[in-house]
Amino acid sequence: LPDARESGGRLGFGRDSAGTPTDEVERNLAAELRGTGADAAATALRRGELTLDLSRLRHTQHWWLPLETAAEKRARLRRLLDELFRLTAAGEDGTSPRVVVVSHSYVLRDLLRDHVDEGAPFAASELRAALARRTVPNCAVFALDLAPMASCANADGAATHIVGGRLLAGAAGKFPA
């Protein structure tokens, strides 16, 4: 999902500020999975049992694009949430598919700062506050619950906010449960 890319418009990026060439994303993911002990997932990726849809990233050489305004970034993250909600809508069999988004901590922090339903209990949670202000360790896994919000729909009539979240793996002790 191209809209899950990190914002390149921040100061202080390190050696990877140019982004990862898209043809290296799958290989890097497999190496990260093996490095964290997720060998079964790495093997499934290698065998084609777990697939990455990079088709919409092929139009750009790098995962990150340079500078964008704050308004452009908010709109991009709004599109991301709307797309994630559509992707996780219940299928014909009544089950809701799970979608894994691999991104950087600034994306997660920006989502949790600007795109949480402030009326949901999660909005006041310690986890949301911690995630919105701290760097997330590499390979940490969080689940976010999404819901449509008609009261803040965009021009297309679609709007999705985060209404819940929980830590699944990779950051135990660093964030509240």
Side-chain angles (χ1 to χ4, degrees), residues 16-138:
D16 64 349
S17 63
T20 299
T22 55
D23 60 350
E24 295 178 20
V25 171
E26 189 166 337
R27 184 179 66 238
N28 289 355
L29 175 59
E32 287 289 333
L33 289 170
R34 283 189 301 276
T36 61
D39 295 330
T43 299
L45 183 63
R46 184 177 46 81
R47 290 182 179 164
E49 298 162 0
L50 173 66
T51 59
L52 296 178
D53 179 2
L54 301 175
S55 61
R56 291 187 295 157
L57 297 180
R58 299 293 179 205
H59 71 278
T60 181
Q61 181 182 3
H62 290 94
W63 174 243
W64 292 1
L65 296 179
L67 303 175
E68 65 184 342
T69 67
E72 289 168 335
K73 179 177 60 176
R74 277 192 303 277
R76 174 173 55 84
L77 295 178
R78 167 68 54 223
R79 287 191 312 269
L80 172 64
L81 287 175
D82 289 345
E83 182 169 15
L84 289 172
F85 186 76
R86 283 190 302 275
L87 289 170
T88 59
E92 291 179 15
D93 62 357
T95 61
S96 293
R98 302 290 188 237
V99 175
V100 176
V101 176
V102 177
S103 195
H104 291 265
S105 63
Y106 279 124
V107 171
L108 182 61
R109 287 165 48 180
D110 290 340
L111 285 170
L112 291 169
R113 187 184 62 240
D114 298 332
H115 301 281
V116 171
D117 176 356
E118 296 299 334
F122 176 69
S125 71
E126 289 182 51
L127 178 60
R128 187 257 180 125
L131 287 172
R133 71 176 184 271
R134 293 187 197 159
T135 300
V136 178
N138 286 340

